[in-house]
Amino acid sequence: MRRVHIGPSVLELVEGDITQQDTEAIVNAANSSLLGGGGVDGAIHRAGGPEILEECRKIGGCPTGEARITTGGRLRAGWVIHTVGPVYRDGTRGEPELLAAAYRNSLRLASEKGIKRVAFPSISTGAYGYPMAEAARVALSTTIEYLTAHPEITLIRFVLFGESAFRTYGTALEELLPTLGLS
Ligand code: AR6
């Protein structure tokens, strides 16, 4: 576990399973249909039960880079924020901007709902093929920037699946912090 203070707020990196988090909200790496899939999405719907899918059906989809919210069903987290990251092609098709938007719009929804503690998976780095180190830089710089401007969010936790993902995010964080005057 790695923890960094950003003003009054905390950014954490942990290795683990997003479905087991006790934060008020967890973020789902969904697709635009919001009707479920594999990876994080499959795990969240399996653990949370059919209520989440029922709410997703009513929402009717979500464009890439945007976010929508449902309750958490049987999950420990009371809310699931569903966001859609970009499919990675070659990095020149707006992927970094869309990935940053997915993180930012998820956090905006949390702020609007008064949700203070949010757990994210590494969006787009599974089925959507985003290289992990590049995705980590976007994820961390975007969320740190948001935290700096929005102290109402008290905790952002990245829940990394496996040691390699955890290490990659750790390295990206160590490289980023000095450039922001943080440690
Ligand atoms: N907890 C935390 N991280 C996980 C977990 C878990 N339980 N399971 C996998 N990961 P992915 P994407 C990691 O494929 O790339 C779905 O079918 C995984 O190792 O879940 O945004 C959707 O419906 C990887 O690093 O999401 C979409 O169609 C990261 O989470 C599509 O996949 C994201 O992998 C979205 O693809």
Side-chain angles (χ1 to χ4, degrees):
M1 132 99 87
R2 173 76 166 99
R3 178 178 285 147
V4 183
H5 290 271
I6 317 281
S9 308
V10 168
L11 181 92
E12 278 180 4
L13 307 182
V14 304
E15 188 183 332
D17 178 352
I18 191 84
T19 65
Q20 301 305 309
Q21 303 305 308
D22 61 359
T23 45
E24 289 160 82
I26 63 172
V27 176
N28 183 16
N31 62 64
S32 333
S33 77
L34 295 188
L35 296 179
V40 167
D41 201 4
I44 287 177
H45 284 287
R46 266 196 308 281
E51 241 176 271
I52 301 177
L53 189 58
E54 203 44 54
E55 290 179 53
C56 283
R57 274 208 191 89
K58 289 185 188 139
I59 293 169
C62 176
T64 304
E66 294 189 18
R68 303 288 186 267
I69 191 164
T70 66
T71 60
R74 294 193 295 256
L75 294 167
R76 295 170 78 185
W79 301 97
V80 177
I81 295 170
H82 305 262
T83 191
V84 183
V87 175
Y88 188 89
R89 290 165 73 195
D90 60 5
T92 71
R93 319 290 175 110
E95 293 97 330
E97 292 77 13
L98 286 166
L99 186 60
Y103 281 100
R104 207 161 36 235
N105 286 321
S106 297
L107 289 168
R108 279 191 190 136
L109 259 184
S111 290
E112 279 168 30
K113 284 273 180 187
I115 293 165
K116 296 178 182 305
R117 304 169 74 243
V118 182
F120 280 99
S122 176
I123 296 163
S124 282
T125 56
Y128 282 0
Y130 212 118
M132 186 73 75
E134 286 174 42
R137 281 196 285 277
V138 173
L140 293 168
S141 58
T142 305
T143 53
I144 290 172
E145 187 180 343
Y146 192 91
L147 272 186
T148 306
H150 294 271
E152 75 273 12
I153 305 284
T154 60
L155 172 70
I156 295 177
R157 176 184 295 157
F158 280 91
V159 182
L160 289 327
F161 206 55
E163 198 185 325
S164 156
F166 177 72
R167 285 220 188 123
T168 303
Y169 269 69
T171 303
L173 184 62
E174 300 321 322
E175 285 170 4
L176 191 62
L177 288 178
T179 72
L180 302 171
L182 297 163
S183 57

